[in-house]
Amino acid sequence: MKTATARLATEALQRLAPAGGSPIAVAVSGGSDSMSLLAIASDWCKRMQVELDVVSVDHRLRPEAEGECKFVGRTVSSFGHQHTILRWQGKPEGNLQAEARRARYTMIAKWAIERDIPKVALGHTLDDQAETVILNLARGSGVYGLSAMPEELRRCGVNWIRPLLQLRRKDLRCMLRSRAIPWIDDPSNEDLRFDRVRIRQALPMLEQIGLTASALGRTAANMQRARQALAMEVAKAAQRLVDVSTLGVLTIEAGFWDLAVETRYRLFAAAVRFHSNERHSRRLSAIRNSISALRCDGVATISACVLHLDRQRNLRIVRDHRRCGRPVRPDLVWDDRWRLAMPPDSNNCRIGALGRDGLKQFPGRSAAVSDRRALLSSPALWKGDKVVESLVENAPGETDFILLKDRQMFLNFVKQV
């Protein structure tokens, strides 16, 4: 007899899974959450005659990790499905959990795309959702942070779904015990060095004053609806106010200052993130400080970008030429923004920012201050210390450099963040 827990998860899977019988993947670490998802997804896929692939990631951070992945493989085999182990070769720097999570998403997405799998299911639960709300609340997050984790999102070219997001971990473990399905407890889940672990241990006390996982989950759901409404307003504002020039300058017209505060913050954050190549938006405090600096001084810097107001109070954003991507070979994309259409035969050439040294090679160039800022961070083809080709001596459109991040790409980007 199917338990209420399994029934609710199956209904969520039915709602979120791909239509038309496309294959689905499940990411399984061996913990109780992902093992529950594996069992439920296996039952559903067999009944619906949908192919199920299972993937695990060995981050190579603990000696036990390889054995845990093999444990998952044996369980997956008993269910009659294919299992793949992906091994991370990177060396984490900075935030260990964040680096591992980023690598996990990237590796699984690449694996799924290669197999033409449109959706990957993750085992996040209501407990995870509650922890995320508290974590972001402690950081002073706004609507976006308190919306926590959505049931479905697109990232790295793949759709990720969370069928267990309304279910408690304790109920899932009861289901596993009733079916004699084992799981592995990751010791890092008890490591008090991590903020999430400390929050997890504090949850029972918070529940005594009404901050239950269910209440926090409802908060996240309410914030997600607010986020969707806000996202629509930001997209409309971007369509109306934003342009990207052929030099790569992102301009937000002066109507930006008349937007509602939250819409203004979100449009600003999206523009900076789009132009800076950063994976995540800056925190709200940094955004507020930059906007305040613009109001007071007319200029600000954030996320390797230089921002300034022109005489009409239009906001113009360019890359800081000192922090553009490192020079690359001509046959590669540079700074995630430009590509050389017809690479030269010479292997001695490279693409890098024009910068002040490059601009000095064109003394006759007279440009407005705003154009000069854009030119400094624009691409140039260098051979030694000499500029072979740039946007200075050619009118825009008369060069082999192709701007990859144009206005339409920004409008599409805004809809996804």
Side-chain angles (χ1 to χ4, degrees):
M1 180 177 179
K2 182 179 289 186
T3 65
T5 297
R7 183 173 63 253
L8 288 171
T10 302
E11 289 172 356
L13 193 59
Q14 179 75 40
R15 182 178 68 255
L16 297 170
S22 299
I24 186 174
V26 175
V28 180
S29 66
S32 60
D33 300 347
S34 62
M35 293 297 284
S36 299
L37 179 59
L38 169 62
I40 293 166
S42 178
D43 293 344
W44 181 80
C45 286
K46 288 175 181 177
R47 187 171 68 254
M48 301 300 294
Q49 296 184 328
V50 172
E51 180 184 346
L52 175 66
D53 285 320
V54 183
V55 61
S56 300
V57 176
D58 179 1
H59 293 95
R60 304 169 73 91
L61 298 176
R62 296 182 294 110
E64 304 87 357
E66 183 177 0
E68 292 168 357
C69 288
K70 290 180 179 179
F71 158 78
V72 173
R74 291 191 296 270
T75 307
V76 171
S77 180
S78 71
F79 281 120
H81 305 293
Q82 295 294 319
H83 179 241
T84 302
I85 299 175
L86 305 177
R87 292 178 173 83
W88 187 30
Q89 304 297 332
K91 294 182 179 180
E93 298 178 0
N95 189 318
L96 177 62
Q97 287 192 325
E99 288 288 331
R101 181 169 57 251
R102 187 177 300 121
R104 186 161 60 248
Y105 274 103
T106 302
M107 293 169 64
I108 294 176
K110 184 175 183 293
W111 170 86
I113 291 170
E114 289 174 350
R115 286 157 180 76
D116 199 25
I117 298 174
K119 294 193 176 184
V120 179
L122 303 171
H124 294 123
T125 66
L126 182 57
D127 298 76
D128 296 310
Q129 186 76 305
E131 293 162 11
T132 302
V133 172
I134 295 175
L135 191 64
N136 289 335
L137 184 62
R139 293 170 176 167
S141 298
V143 171
Y144 276 45
L146 296 182
S147 66
M149 296 183 290
E151 274 195 322
E152 183 170 7
L153 80 157
R154 187 164 182 82
R155 180 175 179 178
C156 301
V158 170
N159 290 323
W160 307 82
I161 60 176
R162 297 182 171 107
L164 308 184
L165 208 52
Q166 303 302 318
L167 299 173
R168 296 298 305 271
R169 181 171 294 120
K170 61 183 180 181
D171 296 327
L172 292 167
R173 289 185 172 185
C174 285
M175 182 202 70
L176 289 176
R177 292 188 187 99
S178 70
R179 296 182 58 172
I181 299 174
W183 71 85
I184 296 171
D185 288 317
D186 185 345
S188 67
N189 289 331
E190 304 297 327
D191 192 337
L192 292 175
R193 291 178 301 170
F194 301 126
D195 292 340
R196 185 175 288 274
V197 174
R198 293 197 295 272
I199 289 172
R200 184 173 302 152
Q201 295 192 357
L203 269 175
M205 288 189 296
L206 295 175
E207 289 181 347
Q208 296 176 20
I209 59 172
L211 280 176
T212 64
S214 296
L216 292 165
R218 289 194 298 272
T219 294
N222 292 335
M223 290 298 101
Q224 283 167 13
R225 288 191 293 273
R227 177 175 180 166
Q228 290 169 1
L230 178 57
M232 291 179 63
E233 291 303 311
V234 173
K236 290 177 183 177
Q239 181 74 44
R240 188 174 72 253
L241 300 174
V242 175
D243 193 20
V244 179
S245 75
T246 52
L247 282 175
V249 181
L250 191 150
T251 300
I252 308 178
E253 293 180 5
F256 168 78
W257 300 104
D258 298 325
L259 296 173
V261 172
E262 195 65 29
T263 306
R264 189 190 312 151
Y265 286 166
R266 289 301 139 195
L267 180 57
F268 180 91
V272 169
R273 182 181 164 195
F274 175 81
H275 217 58
S276 67
N277 307 329
E278 289 189 339
R279 294 187 179 95
H280 304 287
S281 296
R282 297 297 297 271
R283 290 189 178 180
L284 190 56
S285 58
I287 292 169
R288 286 172 176 162
N289 290 340
S290 294
I291 291 178
S292 295
L294 283 167
R295 283 186 180 278
C296 295
D297 306 322
V299 65
T301 58
I302 183 175
S303 300
C305 292
V306 178
L307 306 90
H308 68 279
L309 300 181
D310 63 17
R311 292 181 179 179
Q312 290 74 41
R313 292 188 63 76
N314 299 316
L315 172 58
R316 295 168 63 89
I317 305 176
V318 299
R319 290 276 283 163
D320 185 340
H321 71 278
R322 297 164 298 184
R323 300 178 63 185
C324 288
R326 290 183 295 180
V328 299
R329 297 197 320 270
D331 56 335
L332 299 175
V333 172
W334 175 75
D335 201 41
D336 201 32
R337 297 182 298 137
W338 296 90
R339 179 170 58 84
L340 192 59
M342 298 180 64
D345 295 331
S346 173
N347 292 326
N348 297 323
C349 292
R350 58 185 174 82
I351 301 177
L354 181 67
R356 292 190 175 90
D357 290 340
L359 196 56
K360 288 177 182 177
Q361 298 183 28
F362 305 93
R365 171 71 179 184
S366 59
V369 172
S370 57
D371 288 336
R372 185 175 186 278
R373 286 193 178 102
L375 286 171
L376 290 175
S377 63
S378 69
L381 185 64
W382 293 79
K383 190 168 185 179
D385 295 331
K386 181 176 177 55
V387 175
V388 177
E389 183 173 352
S390 73
L391 300 179
V392 180
E393 71 273 29
N394 298 101
E398 296 179 0
T399 175
D400 286 334
F401 286 111
I402 298 174
L403 178 64
L404 302 179
K405 287 191 168 183
D406 57 12
R407 179 175 184 271
Q408 188 56 53
M409 182 176 284
F410 176 73
L411 296 179
N412 294 338
F413 175 80
V414 166
K415 294 176 182 178
Q416 297 172 11
V417 297

